[in-house]
Structures are given as C-alpha cells and as structure tokens.
Short mmCIF file of all heavy atoms in Angstrom, two decimals:
data_model
loop_
_atom_site.label_atom_id
_atom_site.label_comp_id
_atom_site.label_asym_id
_atom_site.label_seq_id
_atom_site.Cartn_x
_atom_site.Cartn_y
_atom_site.Cartn_z
N MET A 1 -0.48 -5.11 -9.88
CA MET A 1 -1.66 -4.95 -10.57
C MET A 1 -1.53 -5.18 -12.01
O MET A 1 -2.30 -5.77 -12.76
CB MET A 1 -2.47 -3.99 -10.28
CG MET A 1 -3.05 -3.89 -8.77
SD MET A 1 -4.09 -2.50 -8.40
CE MET A 1 -4.01 -2.46 -6.64
N LEU A 2 -0.33 -4.66 -12.47
CA LEU A 2 -0.02 -4.81 -13.85
C LEU A 2 0.26 -6.19 -14.29
O LEU A 2 -0.11 -6.61 -15.42
CB LEU A 2 1.19 -3.89 -14.22
CG LEU A 2 1.64 -3.69 -15.68
CD1 LEU A 2 0.61 -3.07 -16.58
CD2 LEU A 2 3.06 -2.93 -15.77
N TRP A 3 0.89 -6.97 -13.49
CA TRP A 3 1.25 -8.27 -13.65
C TRP A 3 0.32 -9.21 -13.02
O TRP A 3 0.66 -10.46 -12.70
CB TRP A 3 2.63 -8.63 -13.24
CG TRP A 3 3.61 -7.89 -14.15
CD1 TRP A 3 4.07 -8.26 -15.42
CD2 TRP A 3 4.30 -6.66 -13.84
NE1 TRP A 3 4.94 -7.34 -16.00
CE2 TRP A 3 5.12 -6.33 -14.92
CE3 TRP A 3 4.35 -5.76 -12.76
CZ2 TRP A 3 5.86 -5.14 -15.04
CZ3 TRP A 3 5.08 -4.65 -12.76
CH2 TRP A 3 5.82 -4.34 -13.87
N ASP A 4 -1.00 -8.80 -12.64
CA ASP A 4 -1.85 -9.71 -11.90
C ASP A 4 -1.33 -10.17 -10.60
O ASP A 4 -1.51 -11.27 -10.23
CB ASP A 4 -2.33 -10.75 -12.79
CG ASP A 4 -3.65 -11.40 -12.25
OD1 ASP A 4 -4.40 -10.65 -11.69
OD2 ASP A 4 -3.78 -12.61 -12.55
N GLU A 5 -0.56 -9.24 -9.90
CA GLU A 5 -0.10 -9.56 -8.51
C GLU A 5 -0.59 -8.41 -7.63
O GLU A 5 -0.58 -7.28 -7.99
CB GLU A 5 1.44 -9.56 -8.50
CG GLU A 5 1.98 -10.60 -9.46
CD GLU A 5 2.75 -11.65 -8.80
OE1 GLU A 5 3.06 -11.37 -7.54
OE2 GLU A 5 3.12 -12.65 -9.30
N VAL A 6 -0.96 -8.83 -6.35
CA VAL A 6 -1.46 -7.87 -5.39
C VAL A 6 -0.38 -8.04 -4.18
O VAL A 6 -0.11 -9.18 -3.73
CB VAL A 6 -2.79 -8.10 -4.88
CG1 VAL A 6 -3.25 -7.24 -3.86
CG2 VAL A 6 -3.71 -8.05 -6.12
N PRO A 7 0.20 -6.86 -3.80
CA PRO A 7 1.13 -7.01 -2.61
C PRO A 7 0.40 -7.52 -1.40
O PRO A 7 -0.78 -7.26 -1.18
CB PRO A 7 1.67 -5.56 -2.30
CG PRO A 7 1.20 -4.79 -3.67
CD PRO A 7 0.04 -5.60 -4.21
N ALA A 8 1.11 -8.20 -0.68
CA ALA A 8 0.62 -8.69 0.69
C ALA A 8 0.27 -7.55 1.56
O ALA A 8 0.75 -6.36 1.42
CB ALA A 8 1.64 -9.53 1.38
N LEU A 9 -0.61 -7.98 2.57
CA LEU A 9 -1.08 -6.94 3.49
C LEU A 9 0.07 -6.15 4.27
O LEU A 9 0.14 -5.01 4.43
CB LEU A 9 -2.10 -7.49 4.46
CG LEU A 9 -2.81 -6.52 5.38
CD1 LEU A 9 -3.54 -5.52 4.66
CD2 LEU A 9 -3.67 -7.29 6.40
N ASN A 10 1.13 -6.99 4.74
CA ASN A 10 2.20 -6.39 5.53
C ASN A 10 3.05 -5.52 4.58
O ASN A 10 3.58 -4.46 5.08
CB ASN A 10 3.02 -7.48 6.11
CG ASN A 10 3.56 -8.43 5.21
OD1 ASN A 10 3.20 -8.51 4.00
ND2 ASN A 10 4.56 -9.31 5.69
N THR A 11 3.01 -5.74 3.36
CA THR A 11 3.83 -4.85 2.30
C THR A 11 3.12 -3.62 2.17
O THR A 11 3.67 -2.55 2.15
CB THR A 11 4.01 -5.58 1.03
OG1 THR A 11 4.58 -6.81 1.14
CG2 THR A 11 4.77 -4.79 0.01
N LEU A 12 1.78 -3.59 2.07
CA LEU A 12 0.98 -2.30 2.00
C LEU A 12 1.11 -1.62 3.22
O LEU A 12 1.19 -0.42 3.21
CB LEU A 12 -0.54 -2.66 1.60
CG LEU A 12 -0.74 -3.30 0.27
CD1 LEU A 12 -2.19 -3.83 0.11
CD2 LEU A 12 -0.36 -2.26 -0.84
N ALA A 13 1.05 -2.31 4.39
CA ALA A 13 1.11 -1.53 5.62
C ALA A 13 2.53 -0.81 5.72
O ALA A 13 2.60 0.40 6.15
CB ALA A 13 1.06 -2.37 6.83
N GLY A 14 3.55 -1.54 5.46
CA GLY A 14 4.90 -0.91 5.39
C GLY A 14 5.09 0.27 4.44
O GLY A 14 5.54 1.35 4.79
N MET A 15 4.33 0.17 3.14
CA MET A 15 4.35 1.29 2.32
C MET A 15 3.67 2.52 2.95
O MET A 15 4.03 3.59 2.57
CB MET A 15 3.77 0.88 0.99
CG MET A 15 4.73 -0.09 0.15
SD MET A 15 4.15 -0.86 -1.28
CE MET A 15 2.70 0.06 -1.86
N GLY A 16 2.67 2.25 3.61
CA GLY A 16 1.83 3.29 4.24
C GLY A 16 2.52 4.00 5.34
O GLY A 16 2.47 5.14 5.34
N ILE A 17 3.27 3.15 6.08
CA ILE A 17 4.01 3.76 7.15
C ILE A 17 5.12 4.69 6.61
O ILE A 17 5.39 5.76 7.16
CB ILE A 17 4.65 2.69 8.05
CG1 ILE A 17 3.53 1.97 8.80
CG2 ILE A 17 5.73 3.21 8.95
CD1 ILE A 17 4.06 0.81 9.58
N ILE A 18 5.88 4.19 5.59
CA ILE A 18 6.96 5.01 4.87
C ILE A 18 6.43 6.28 4.28
O ILE A 18 6.93 7.36 4.58
CB ILE A 18 7.69 4.15 3.91
CG1 ILE A 18 8.47 2.96 4.58
CG2 ILE A 18 8.58 4.99 3.13
CD1 ILE A 18 8.99 1.98 3.64
N THR A 19 5.31 6.23 3.72
CA THR A 19 4.67 7.35 3.12
C THR A 19 4.16 8.34 4.12
O THR A 19 4.42 9.53 3.98
CB THR A 19 3.37 6.88 2.13
OG1 THR A 19 3.97 6.01 1.10
CG2 THR A 19 2.79 8.19 1.49
N ALA A 20 3.44 7.87 5.16
CA ALA A 20 3.03 8.83 6.27
C ALA A 20 4.11 9.47 7.04
O ALA A 20 4.02 10.49 7.21
CB ALA A 20 2.22 7.87 7.25
N SER A 21 5.29 8.74 7.13
CA SER A 21 6.38 9.35 7.89
C SER A 21 7.08 10.41 7.04
O SER A 21 7.34 11.42 7.54
CB SER A 21 7.40 8.24 8.38
OG SER A 21 7.98 7.67 7.18
N GLY A 22 7.11 10.15 5.75
CA GLY A 22 7.70 11.25 4.86
C GLY A 22 6.87 12.43 4.85
O GLY A 22 7.31 13.63 4.81
N LEU A 23 5.53 12.22 4.74
CA LEU A 23 4.63 13.40 4.64
C LEU A 23 4.67 14.22 5.98
O LEU A 23 4.68 15.39 6.08
CB LEU A 23 3.19 12.83 4.37
CG LEU A 23 2.98 12.47 2.99
CD1 LEU A 23 1.50 11.78 2.87
CD2 LEU A 23 3.11 13.57 2.04
N TYR A 24 4.79 13.46 7.11
CA TYR A 24 4.80 14.06 8.46
C TYR A 24 6.10 14.85 8.60
O TYR A 24 6.14 16.05 9.02
CB TYR A 24 4.73 13.05 9.51
CG TYR A 24 5.06 13.59 10.98
CD1 TYR A 24 4.16 14.47 11.59
CD2 TYR A 24 6.35 13.33 11.62
CE1 TYR A 24 4.48 14.99 12.74
CE2 TYR A 24 6.60 13.89 12.83
CZ TYR A 24 5.68 14.74 13.37
OH TYR A 24 6.03 15.31 14.66
N LEU A 25 7.40 14.31 8.19
CA LEU A 25 8.51 14.94 8.23
C LEU A 25 8.51 16.31 7.37
O LEU A 25 8.96 17.35 7.82
CB LEU A 25 9.70 14.10 7.86
CG LEU A 25 10.06 13.07 8.82
CD1 LEU A 25 11.16 12.18 8.30
CD2 LEU A 25 10.56 13.74 10.11
N GLY A 26 8.01 16.26 6.32
CA GLY A 26 7.87 17.39 5.37
C GLY A 26 6.98 18.45 5.97
O GLY A 26 7.26 19.66 5.95
N TRP A 27 5.87 18.08 6.59
CA TRP A 27 4.83 18.99 7.19
C TRP A 27 5.68 19.72 8.43
O TRP A 27 5.45 20.80 8.52
CB TRP A 27 3.54 18.22 7.73
CG TRP A 27 2.78 19.08 8.45
CD1 TRP A 27 1.87 20.13 8.03
CD2 TRP A 27 2.51 18.87 9.88
NE1 TRP A 27 1.22 20.54 9.12
CE2 TRP A 27 1.53 19.97 10.26
CE3 TRP A 27 3.03 18.11 10.85
CZ2 TRP A 27 1.08 20.09 11.59
CZ3 TRP A 27 2.67 18.25 12.17
CH2 TRP A 27 1.66 19.20 12.50
N ARG A 28 6.29 18.88 9.22
CA ARG A 28 6.96 19.34 10.42
C ARG A 28 8.06 20.31 10.00
O ARG A 28 8.15 21.28 10.66
CB ARG A 28 7.54 18.27 11.23
CG ARG A 28 8.10 18.68 12.64
CD ARG A 28 8.74 17.42 13.24
NE ARG A 28 9.94 17.11 12.56
CZ ARG A 28 10.80 16.31 12.97
NH1 ARG A 28 10.55 15.48 13.94
NH2 ARG A 28 11.97 15.99 12.26
N GLU A 29 8.77 20.03 9.08
CA GLU A 29 9.85 20.95 8.51
C GLU A 29 9.28 22.26 8.09
O GLU A 29 9.79 23.34 8.24
CB GLU A 29 10.83 20.34 7.70
CG GLU A 29 11.65 19.17 8.13
CD GLU A 29 12.68 19.74 9.12
OE1 GLU A 29 13.14 20.77 9.09
OE2 GLU A 29 12.67 18.97 10.15
N LEU A 30 8.16 22.14 7.20
CA LEU A 30 7.52 23.38 6.72
C LEU A 30 7.05 24.26 7.92
O LEU A 30 7.15 25.49 7.88
CB LEU A 30 6.44 22.89 5.85
CG LEU A 30 5.67 24.07 5.01
CD1 LEU A 30 6.57 24.79 4.19
CD2 LEU A 30 4.46 23.49 4.41
N ARG A 31 6.33 23.65 8.82
CA ARG A 31 5.80 24.48 9.96
C ARG A 31 7.01 25.01 10.79
O ARG A 31 6.91 26.17 11.24
CB ARG A 31 5.09 23.41 11.02
CG ARG A 31 3.78 23.87 11.16
CD ARG A 31 3.03 22.96 12.12
NE ARG A 31 3.36 23.26 13.44
CZ ARG A 31 3.15 22.59 14.61
NH1 ARG A 31 2.62 21.45 14.36
NH2 ARG A 31 3.44 23.10 15.66
N ALA A 32 8.04 24.22 10.95
CA ALA A 32 9.25 24.82 11.76
C ALA A 32 9.85 26.02 10.94
O ALA A 32 10.23 27.04 11.42
CB ALA A 32 10.32 23.71 11.91
N SER A 33 9.92 26.00 9.62
CA SER A 33 10.52 27.08 8.87
C SER A 33 9.67 28.33 8.84
O SER A 33 10.04 29.41 8.78
CB SER A 33 10.83 26.61 7.42
OG SER A 33 9.66 26.40 6.69
N ARG A 34 8.38 28.08 8.92
CA ARG A 34 7.44 29.30 8.94
C ARG A 34 7.42 29.89 10.20
O ARG A 34 7.30 31.13 10.37
CB ARG A 34 6.02 28.78 8.55
CG ARG A 34 5.76 28.45 7.21
CD ARG A 34 4.40 27.98 6.90
NE ARG A 34 4.11 27.69 5.58
CZ ARG A 34 3.02 27.10 5.13
NH1 ARG A 34 2.08 26.84 6.03
NH2 ARG A 34 2.82 26.70 3.96
N HIS A 35 7.58 29.26 11.36
CA HIS A 35 7.63 29.85 12.62
C HIS A 35 9.04 30.20 13.26
O HIS A 35 9.05 30.86 14.31
CB HIS A 35 7.00 28.83 13.66
CG HIS A 35 5.65 28.71 13.40
ND1 HIS A 35 4.50 29.55 13.41
CD2 HIS A 35 4.94 27.46 12.98
CE1 HIS A 35 3.44 29.02 13.14
NE2 HIS A 35 3.71 27.71 12.80
N SER A 36 10.09 30.05 12.35
CA SER A 36 11.33 30.36 12.87
C SER A 36 11.67 31.76 12.52
O SER A 36 11.60 32.26 11.45
CB SER A 36 12.38 29.45 12.23
OG SER A 36 13.76 29.75 12.55
N ASP A 37 12.16 32.55 13.50
CA ASP A 37 12.71 33.92 13.24
C ASP A 37 14.24 33.96 12.98
O ASP A 37 14.57 34.99 12.55
CB ASP A 37 12.44 34.75 14.52
CG ASP A 37 11.00 34.93 14.72
OD1 ASP A 37 10.16 34.91 13.69
OD2 ASP A 37 10.50 35.28 15.87
N ALA A 38 14.94 32.81 13.14
CA ALA A 38 16.38 32.86 12.86
C ALA A 38 16.68 32.89 11.45
O ALA A 38 15.97 32.31 10.57
CB ALA A 38 16.97 31.49 13.64
N THR A 39 17.75 33.46 11.09
CA THR A 39 18.17 33.47 9.76
C THR A 39 18.77 32.17 9.42
O THR A 39 19.67 31.64 10.18
CB THR A 39 19.20 34.54 9.59
OG1 THR A 39 18.74 35.92 9.91
CG2 THR A 39 19.66 34.77 8.05
N PRO A 40 18.45 31.54 8.39
CA PRO A 40 19.06 30.28 7.98
C PRO A 40 20.49 30.33 7.75
O PRO A 40 21.00 31.30 7.21
CB PRO A 40 18.34 29.89 6.67
CG PRO A 40 17.66 31.05 6.22
CD PRO A 40 17.53 32.02 7.35
N VAL A 41 21.17 29.25 8.07
CA VAL A 41 22.68 29.23 7.80
C VAL A 41 22.92 28.92 6.37
O VAL A 41 22.36 28.18 5.75
CB VAL A 41 23.22 28.19 8.68
CG1 VAL A 41 24.77 28.04 8.47
CG2 VAL A 41 23.05 28.43 10.21
N THR A 42 23.77 29.84 5.81
CA THR A 42 24.14 29.73 4.31
C THR A 42 25.59 29.02 4.32
O THR A 42 26.36 29.20 5.20
CB THR A 42 24.09 31.04 3.60
OG1 THR A 42 25.10 31.88 4.24
CG2 THR A 42 22.72 31.51 3.63
N ALA A 43 25.87 28.53 3.16
CA ALA A 43 27.18 27.86 2.97
C ALA A 43 28.21 28.87 2.99
O ALA A 43 29.37 28.56 3.42
CB ALA A 43 27.10 27.14 1.65
N GLU A 44 28.06 30.04 2.61
CA GLU A 44 29.04 31.07 2.55
C GLU A 44 29.51 31.50 3.94
O GLU A 44 30.53 32.07 4.04
CB GLU A 44 28.60 32.31 1.78
CG GLU A 44 28.50 32.01 0.22
CD GLU A 44 27.04 31.45 -0.02
OE1 GLU A 44 26.01 31.48 0.79
OE2 GLU A 44 26.93 30.80 -1.08
N ALA A 45 28.68 31.38 4.93
CA ALA A 45 28.92 31.73 6.34
C ALA A 45 29.79 30.73 7.09
O ALA A 45 30.09 30.96 8.17
CB ALA A 45 27.62 32.08 7.02
N ILE A 46 29.95 29.54 6.47
CA ILE A 46 30.65 28.54 7.15
C ILE A 46 32.01 28.28 6.58
O ILE A 46 32.05 28.17 5.33
CB ILE A 46 29.78 27.29 7.03
CG1 ILE A 46 28.44 27.42 7.85
CG2 ILE A 46 30.53 26.07 7.69
CD1 ILE A 46 27.50 26.30 7.72
N PHE A 47 33.13 28.05 7.31
CA PHE A 47 34.36 27.86 6.78
C PHE A 47 34.65 26.36 6.67
O PHE A 47 34.33 25.62 7.65
CB PHE A 47 35.49 28.45 7.75
CG PHE A 47 36.84 28.13 7.26
CD1 PHE A 47 37.43 28.76 6.15
CD2 PHE A 47 37.64 27.15 7.92
CE1 PHE A 47 38.67 28.42 5.74
CE2 PHE A 47 38.88 26.83 7.44
CZ PHE A 47 39.36 27.48 6.46
N ALA A 48 35.06 25.97 5.47
CA ALA A 48 35.26 24.55 5.26
C ALA A 48 36.91 24.41 5.08
O ALA A 48 37.47 25.26 4.30
CB ALA A 48 34.55 23.97 4.03
N PRO A 49 37.40 23.43 5.66
CA PRO A 49 38.87 23.22 5.38
C PRO A 49 39.17 23.09 3.87
O PRO A 49 38.44 22.38 3.15
CB PRO A 49 39.16 21.87 6.08
CG PRO A 49 38.11 21.75 7.11
CD PRO A 49 36.88 22.40 6.54
N GLY A 50 40.20 23.77 3.39
CA GLY A 50 40.50 23.63 1.97
C GLY A 50 39.78 24.84 1.07
O GLY A 50 39.93 24.84 0.00
N SER A 51 38.90 25.53 1.79
CA SER A 51 38.16 26.51 1.09
C SER A 51 39.05 27.65 0.78
O SER A 51 39.96 28.03 1.66
CB SER A 51 37.04 27.07 1.93
OG SER A 51 36.39 28.18 1.34
N PRO A 52 39.10 28.28 -0.46
CA PRO A 52 39.91 29.46 -0.72
C PRO A 52 39.44 30.75 0.03
O PRO A 52 40.11 31.63 0.10
CB PRO A 52 39.75 29.65 -2.33
CG PRO A 52 38.31 29.07 -2.52
CD PRO A 52 38.13 27.91 -1.53
N LEU A 53 38.29 30.65 0.67
CA LEU A 53 37.73 31.92 1.34
C LEU A 53 38.27 31.89 2.84
O LEU A 53 38.30 30.82 3.36
CB LEU A 53 36.20 31.88 1.26
CG LEU A 53 35.63 31.91 -0.12
CD1 LEU A 53 34.07 31.92 0.05
CD2 LEU A 53 35.97 33.31 -0.80
N PRO A 54 38.53 33.02 3.30
CA PRO A 54 38.97 33.05 4.81
C PRO A 54 37.67 32.86 5.72
O PRO A 54 36.55 33.07 5.30
CB PRO A 54 39.44 34.48 4.95
CG PRO A 54 38.81 35.23 3.87
CD PRO A 54 38.66 34.34 2.74
N PRO A 55 37.86 32.35 6.85
CA PRO A 55 36.68 32.08 7.68
C PRO A 55 36.01 33.38 8.05
O PRO A 55 36.72 34.44 8.26
CB PRO A 55 37.36 31.42 8.88
CG PRO A 55 38.78 31.72 8.93
CD PRO A 55 39.11 31.97 7.41
N GLN A 56 34.76 33.32 8.02
CA GLN A 56 33.90 34.54 8.30
C GLN A 56 33.40 34.43 9.83
O GLN A 56 32.83 33.41 10.04
CB GLN A 56 32.72 34.73 7.54
CG GLN A 56 33.32 34.92 6.03
CD GLN A 56 32.14 34.95 4.94
OE1 GLN A 56 31.09 34.87 5.25
NE2 GLN A 56 32.52 35.13 3.69
N ILE A 57 33.67 35.44 10.65
CA ILE A 57 33.07 35.46 11.90
C ILE A 57 31.74 36.14 12.00
O ILE A 57 31.70 37.33 11.54
CB ILE A 57 34.00 36.09 12.93
CG1 ILE A 57 35.42 35.36 12.99
CG2 ILE A 57 33.52 36.10 14.35
CD1 ILE A 57 36.53 36.01 13.62
N PRO A 58 30.67 35.49 12.44
CA PRO A 58 29.32 36.27 12.52
C PRO A 58 29.44 37.37 13.33
O PRO A 58 30.16 37.61 14.20
CB PRO A 58 28.47 35.16 13.06
CG PRO A 58 29.06 33.83 12.94
CD PRO A 58 30.61 34.14 12.94
N GLU A 59 28.55 38.52 12.95
CA GLU A 59 28.62 39.71 13.65
C GLU A 59 28.32 39.68 15.10
O GLU A 59 28.80 40.42 15.96
CB GLU A 59 27.68 40.68 13.02
CG GLU A 59 28.02 41.02 11.63
CD GLU A 59 27.02 42.07 10.92
OE1 GLU A 59 26.16 42.62 11.70
OE2 GLU A 59 27.10 42.10 9.69
N GLU A 60 27.47 38.81 15.53
CA GLU A 60 27.11 38.46 16.94
C GLU A 60 28.37 38.17 17.80
O GLU A 60 28.46 38.55 18.93
CB GLU A 60 26.08 37.37 17.14
CG GLU A 60 24.77 37.62 16.41
CD GLU A 60 24.80 37.11 14.94
OE1 GLU A 60 25.47 36.14 14.69
OE2 GLU A 60 24.21 37.70 14.13
N GLU A 61 29.27 37.44 17.24
CA GLU A 61 30.49 37.06 17.91
C GLU A 61 31.47 38.13 17.93
O GLU A 61 32.32 38.24 18.93
CB GLU A 61 31.17 35.73 17.35
CG GLU A 61 30.27 34.57 17.40
CD GLU A 61 30.83 33.22 16.89
OE1 GLU A 61 32.10 33.29 16.58
OE2 GLU A 61 30.19 32.38 16.70
N THR A 62 31.46 39.04 17.05
CA THR A 62 32.49 40.11 17.10
C THR A 62 32.21 41.23 18.02
O THR A 62 32.99 42.02 18.53
CB THR A 62 32.66 40.71 15.71
OG1 THR A 62 31.35 41.12 15.21
CG2 THR A 62 33.25 39.73 14.65
N SER A 63 30.87 41.38 18.37
CA SER A 63 30.36 42.39 19.29
C SER A 63 30.63 42.05 20.81
O SER A 63 30.39 42.89 21.61
CB SER A 63 28.96 42.71 19.07
OG SER A 63 28.23 41.56 19.41
N ARG A 64 31.15 40.92 21.03
CA ARG A 64 31.33 40.53 22.47
C ARG A 64 32.59 41.02 23.12
O ARG A 64 33.50 41.22 22.63
CB ARG A 64 31.31 38.91 22.60
CG ARG A 64 30.06 38.44 22.38
CD ARG A 64 30.17 36.89 22.49
NE ARG A 64 28.89 36.20 22.01
CZ ARG A 64 28.66 35.07 21.92
NH1 ARG A 64 29.41 34.12 22.36
NH2 ARG A 64 27.50 34.53 21.63
#
C-alpha cells in the first residue's frame, strides 16, 4: 500500500494461514505448559559430550 501495490488474494490467504498457525501453536504450547505437572527439563540436567560437568542421574533413576 505504501508503493500503491496491493498483494494478490492468494498472497493474503497465505499470510493469513501462516499467522493463524503461529498463533495456534503459541496458544497450544501455553495451554500445555499451564496443565503440565512435570518439571521442565533444564540444560544443567542433561549431559552433553565435551561438557566439563559430569553426567547427572535424575533422582527417579537412582531409586530403582
């Protein structure tokens, strides 16, 4: 509209689909995080090769 151009109908439809899917994914993730009782995984609890920290075993696995 700034350069006196209007996108074609299929372009506007594609932009709408992309926007709607992004909003849906955000809403779904927000809902999932609110209803989840599980503790989120943190980077410190995961061993990565080359890490100076030793691997950490979660408490659930040590009680078996």
